[in-house]
Amino acid sequence: MTNAKIRLPKRIERLEEVAYNLCWSWNPGARGLFKSVDRTLWRSTHHNPVKLLTLVKAETLEARAKDPAFLQWYDSVLAQFDDYLGKSDTWFAQSQPGREGGIAYFSAEFGLHNSLPIYSGGLGILAGDHCKTASDLGIPLVGVGFMYPQGYVVQRIGVEGWQRNHYEQLDWESAPVRPAETADGKECVIRLDLGAWPLHVKVWKVQAGRVPLYLMDTNVPGNTPGDREVSGRLYGGDQKMRLRQEIVLGIGGTRILRTLGVDVQLYHANEGHAAFLMLERIRERVAAGASFADARREVAASSVFTTHTPVPAGHDVFPEPLIEEYFKGYWEELGIDKKEFFALSRVPGREGWNMTALALRLAERKNGVSKRNGIVSREMWKDFYKAEGVDEVPIGHVTNGVHMPTWVNQDIDDVFGQYVSKDWKLHQDDAPMWAKVKDIPNEILWRAHEGCRRSLVSFVRRQVSRRWRKDHVDATQVLAGGALLDGGMLTLGFARRFAPYKRATLIFQDIERLKKILLDPWKPVQIVFAGKSHPADDGGKKLIQQVYNLAKDPAFGGHIAFIEDYDMHKARYLVSGVDVWLNNPLAPLEACGTSGQKAAANGVPNLSILDGWWEEGFTGENGWAPKASTHLPDAERDAADAASIYQVLEEQIVPLFYERGPDGVPDGWVRVMKESIRTSTPQFCSNRMLKDYVEQFYFPSVESMEKKAVAA
Ligand SMILES: *Cc1c(COP(=O)(O)O)cnc(C)c1O
């Protein structure tokens, strides 16, 4: 199927094929090719080649099709593209010879690229990075999730600092998705009948390199208007809506794989949202004649469950009567009675149907997402397992990582290519190779980084200028949005979802002390904030409002900025363009945190409370870890944590940043940047993460299974 709005000259017609495979987004050659089609459109479409190709003028395309330099580049990008997709000696082929059948990765959100707004934050970006990396390593994985036609909330901040929830209908012709087709070339639409709830589900396909993603959509003829909304928005609606979404994800997702004829041996549920998939697989086996006990055992042996949530209140729990509405009759199909059915998801001593408990019971292999998160999870579920000690709780961990080709800035990538290895991306988890970072001349790395900072500042200015010109926002909003940012000033970055445990306003605990740090005439500092609040979370919105009002306050002279509508596109500018990545969660509530890993790989050191990945990543020389006072009550704890952050800023960070040699290069600072890159990149790249999953959780060797059996 082709996009009717795209008309390409024959000689360059495969541009459409490349635009519809998201692997262009992590291939510098392909990115450069689209950029050279039309630079202005490239920028105005926020780097969306499908949209660019629908908008570009015919005469521009004709000119490109006759330009020898463009054609040479086109040919080389296509050769690379074919080579990447057809490669047979992948890591997976070499390390798991003869392994047949694929892995289905279920997730409620996927953060692949901005042109597909089907993610809200870290969990989704992780899922997107997981798929991209599976493609790079040749792991036979397929993604299963939702196509949300209204995406996630678009953030607009009013003049009073309040987040307005705004949704934009997806422009299908500008998004890299197409209807999925069954083996006989028909559109894939399935019918789901649960309780008295009939529902049609249509399936879309997105291609991320070698990995296909199947995304379900309920906006189909035949569904009631209410049911058409089920897949409307990510995390929209009430509890009933959420349950319906999870039914579609787990049960619908399993059924569409059957209809599409995808061969799957192993199922991975990213968070409890997808846990119904395990019930559905038991039902299939029972329908084929197995007993419940046998079916359950087989399903457990081929299920992996990743849990991220470190607090009991964070888990999805539904009232049992609500579950009964949809699953009446289902337990008979499983071959069990109502009591046994509800027992599958109950946490002793608590009410309700707990999705995490269900997944823990039905999947054999389970993991948290950092070493610390593994420990916290084992402690949290100790009673559930009636375990004597935490070591008996069968939850391991795989620390998250990030997809380096997506997150490392192009100019930094070029520096790595020149001094570390031309093929650094193929060997990104090779720690000894990264010792070569020391060979990069300080001035080269520093200039590349300063380029990133300047491009962040111009990006921010373009954004507020557009809001000023097109939306007639108030002048103070232009200032709060970053119009006064300085391209040469020490810049701290804080960008993530405004969930209360992340304590976005911690740095404002002592306003006077902060003001002194920011406004020092010789060594000034600025802070850039970004992040959305969940559309229903007024607490998060209040935090945004506090930051925003301080950003508007003339007393800070424009040294605080709040960038509206944080998303992957802005994240790429931020994680490479600031100088220090700030993170100050209430430990141990940061399950892992991945934005700091992105920053670290770009030579942006972390200033972070020891929690999540940073407990594993911090070496003493690759960033800063202000003391966290875990023993104090919350209010005192905030003040104490803030005080230790101020102290590190005043005594270490600010002086080191401004200590310049005759060439203007801060050699001491560059040393920290290099340590950050050298130590973090191999350890927190997603190649390392996927290899861990394959070797320890997907296809564990007999030895590692025995080790786990002892733990279980
Ligand atoms: C990486 C990323 C996140 C995750 O940030 P944390 O540090 O894990 O909170 C959230 N949103 C976007 C847009 C990201 O790119």
Side-chain angles (χ1 to χ4, degrees):
M1 224 187 104
T2 52
N3 183 331
K5 281 205 179 157
I6 298 181
R7 298 226 168 79
L8 293 165
K10 190 113 192 102
R11 177 67 175 82
I12 54 173
E13 68 182 356
R14 290 190 66 200
L15 276 179
E16 180 172 358
E17 201 183 319
V18 181
Y20 273 90
N21 188 325
L22 283 169
C23 67
W24 69 263
S25 70
W26 68 94
N27 178 311
R31 282 202 303 261
L33 183 69
F34 286 119
K35 184 172 173 180
S36 71
V37 170
D38 188 320
R39 280 177 174 265
T40 307
L41 282 178
W42 180 244
R43 186 179 272 180
S44 71
T45 61
H46 278 188
H47 306 181
N48 176 349
V50 174
K51 191 164 185 182
L52 177 139
L53 293 181
T54 64
L55 295 175
V56 64
K57 291 198 184 92
E59 64 246 42
T60 307
L61 290 172
E62 293 301 337
R64 297 293 174 269
K66 291 192 192 96
D67 172 357
F70 183 87
L71 291 177
Q72 193 184 2
W73 196 348
Y74 171 86
D75 292 336
S76 99
V77 166
L78 275 146
Q80 256 184 42
F81 181 75
D82 291 334
D83 188 50
Y84 175 83
L85 296 179
K87 193 171 155 127
S88 57
D89 58 339
T90 61
W91 172 80
F92 186 80
Q94 288 169 15
S95 78
Q96 303 281 328
R99 178 78 63 191
E100 299 213 353
I103 300 147
Y105 183 87
F106 282 61
S107 178
E109 44 176 308
F110 284 93
L112 291 152
H113 186 259
N114 242 35
S115 50
L116 272 178
I118 55 171
Y119 64 92
S120 74
L123 181 86
I125 310 281
L126 175 76
D129 282 2
H130 199 100
C131 293
K132 292 171 179 176
T133 312
S135 168
D136 291 345
L137 295 176
I139 300 169
L141 186 130
V142 301
V144 179
F146 276 111
M147 186 66 232
Y148 303 99
Q150 300 167 45
Y152 188 55
V153 65
V154 176
Q155 183 188 52
R156 289 282 172 262
I157 309 277
V159 65
E160 73 301 330
W162 196 250
Q163 168 177 311
R164 305 261 155 77
N165 302 333
H166 167 76
Y167 293 89
E168 276 172 17
Q169 198 60 39
L170 180 79
D171 171 10
W172 291 94
E173 271 159 352
S174 305
V177 295
R178 287 176 161 152
E181 290 178 353
T182 55
D184 50 0
K186 296 214 179 73
E187 274 199 2
C188 180
V189 180
I190 61 155
R191 212 186 125 115
L192 205 65
D193 285 289
L194 242 78
W197 188 44
L199 183 77
H200 298 273
V201 179
K202 169 167 178 170
V203 188
W204 299 87
K205 184 177 181 185
V206 167
Q207 197 67 39
R210 305 156 72 110
V211 168
L213 268 84
Y214 296 107
L215 304 175
M216 292 176 285
D217 179 8
T218 63
N219 187 13
V220 229
N223 284 343
T224 65
D227 287 345
R228 283 181 163 225
E229 289 285 315
V230 168
S231 73
R233 308 169 174 177
L234 176 56
Y235 306 140
D238 56 7
Q239 207 172 28
K240 182 166 172 170
M241 177 68 100
R242 194 170 170 106
L243 174 61
R244 289 180 163 203
Q245 289 190 334
E246 296 189 7
I247 288 172
V248 174
L249 180 61
I251 297 179
T254 307
R255 294 191 188 168
I256 63 153
L257 290 174
R258 305 294 176 258
T259 308
L260 291 164
V262 182
D263 176 21
V264 181
Q265 298 295 320
L266 191 94
Y267 294 76
H268 184 172
N270 184 34
E271 212 24 314
H273 314 134
F276 287 130
L277 96 91
M278 298 167 201
L279 283 185
E280 176 64 6
R281 291 182 55 226
I282 296 177
R283 192 197 59 80
E284 288 177 332
R285 278 162 202 254
V286 171
S291 69
F292 174 77
D294 285 345
R296 179 175 172 176
R297 203 170 311 114
E298 285 171 44
V299 167
S302 51
S303 297
V304 174
F305 169 52
T306 300
T307 173
H308 303 242
T309 313
V311 281
H315 298 271
D316 257 340
V317 179
F318 297 107
E320 290 184 0
L322 185 62
I323 294 286
E324 188 168 351
E325 261 182 55
Y326 296 91
F327 287 89
K328 207 181 179 81
Y330 197 90
W331 51 79
E332 283 95 348
E333 290 186 60
L334 294 175
I336 55 178
D337 63 25
K338 183 174 165 184
K339 200 159 151 256
E340 291 166 306
F341 180 73
F342 280 103
L344 289 173
S345 74
R346 222 172 258 148
V347 177
R350 285 202 222 122
E351 294 278 311
W353 176 276
N354 186 310
M355 294 297 281
T356 309
L358 180 70
L360 288 174
R361 284 205 178 89
L362 297 184
E364 187 177 279
R365 302 193 283 285
K366 304 165 267 269
N367 69 290
V369 291
S370 68
K371 199 166 173 179
R372 157 67 46 186
N373 183 239
I375 295 169
V376 170
S377 303
R378 287 193 287 280
E379 269 160 15
M380 188 166 49
W381 295 101
K382 197 176 118 212
D383 293 343
F384 178 81
Y385 283 104
K386 301 189 185 71
E388 296 280 321
V390 285
D391 294 345
E392 289 171 26
V393 178
I395 303 176
H397 81 274
V398 174
T399 304
N400 289 342
V402 296
H403 186 247
M404 294 299 167
T406 295
W407 296 107
V408 172
N409 173 279
Q410 185 63 60
D411 294 336
I412 302 289
D413 177 350
D414 290 343
V415 172
F416 292 169
Q418 195 174 348
Y419 294 94
V420 176
S421 162
K422 186 165 69 48
D423 293 325
W424 71 267
K425 285 176 203 155
L426 296 177
H427 309 288
Q428 51 185 275
D429 54 343
D430 174 0
M433 175 189 78
W434 288 98
K436 293 221 191 82
V437 168
K438 294 200 169 119
D439 302 341
I440 305 172
N442 286 355
E443 181 161 4
I444 298 272
L445 184 59
W446 179 244
R447 298 287 173 236
H449 171 68
E450 289 215 292
C452 294
R453 190 189 321 105
R454 278 194 304 273
S455 80
L456 165 67
V457 170
S458 16
F459 173 78
V460 169
R461 292 207 183 121
R462 282 199 302 277
Q463 171 166 313
V464 286
S465 154
R466 196 167 51 243
R467 291 275 280 141
W468 172 236
R469 182 166 40 87
K470 287 203 159 157
D471 306 331
H472 307 284
V473 294
D474 193 84
T476 56
Q477 294 182 270
V478 177
L479 303 183
L484 295 179
L485 288 177
D486 183 322
M489 198 186 286
L490 169 55
T491 308
L492 314 185
F494 184 101
R496 47 183 57 85
R497 285 178 306 112
F498 270 54
Y501 77 87
K502 295 192 184 245
R503 297 194 294 184
T505 56
L506 188 79
I507 192 102
F508 301 114
Q509 276 279 321
D510 183 342
I511 295 269
E512 290 314 313
R513 189 163 174 191
L514 178 66
K515 218 177 260 174
K516 263 211 198 97
I517 296 171
L518 299 191
L519 301 179
D520 181 315
W522 289 274
K523 296 172 179 168
V525 179
Q526 58 192 0
I527 316 182
V528 183
F529 285 89
K532 299 179 190 178
S533 161
H534 183 283
D537 175 17
D538 283 354
K541 290 182 197 167
K542 283 201 183 104
L543 296 177
I544 290 175
Q545 188 170 39
Q546 275 178 41
V547 175
Y548 200 79
N549 286 341
L550 289 161
K552 282 199 313 194
D553 185 346
F556 279 104
H559 289 225
I560 297 173
F562 186 93
I563 314 300
E564 257 180 351
D565 200 34
Y566 187 46
D567 60 17
M568 287 182 75
H569 189 61
K570 281 152 208 155
R572 281 165 49 101
Y573 281 96
L574 282 162
V575 296
S576 58
V578 301
D579 300 294
V580 175
W581 196 254
L582 174 65
N583 193 18
N584 41 240
L586 198 61
L589 298 186
E590 187 77 291
C592 177
T594 50
S595 58
Q597 302 174 339
K598 302 168 195 166
N602 279 291
V604 172
N606 282 262
L607 162 60
S608 170
I609 300 266
L610 282 181
D611 196 10
W613 77 281
W614 191 230
E615 269 202 329
E616 292 161 64
F618 179 59
T619 62
E621 274 145 33
N622 59 358
W624 301 272
K627 211 167 65 260
S629 14
T630 35
H631 54 283
L632 295 173
D634 280 3
E636 288 170 53
R637 196 172 156 179
D638 285 355
D641 287 356
S644 29
I645 292 175
Y646 297 137
Q647 193 181 358
V648 175
L649 280 169
E650 292 158 348
E651 292 174 5
Q652 302 181 45
I653 294 181
V654 177
L656 192 65
F657 182 87
Y658 284 107
E659 194 181 306
R660 304 296 167 99
D663 51 1
V665 177
D667 291 309
W669 186 268
V670 176
R671 199 175 315 123
V672 183
M673 291 174 63
K674 287 183 176 176
E675 274 304 286
S676 169
I677 297 167
R678 185 183 73 79
T679 57
S680 303
T681 317
Q683 201 179 346
F684 302 106
C685 62
S686 52
N687 278 13
R688 191 273 308 145
M689 169 175 77
L690 259 289
K691 289 180 184 179
D692 283 353
Y693 272 112
V694 168
E695 290 165 354
Q696 300 168 27
F697 286 85
Y698 292 168
F699 308 113
S701 62
V702 176
E703 305 90 85
S704 73
M705 282 298 273
E706 277 166 1
K707 245 185 9 219
K708 280 210 182 61
V710 174

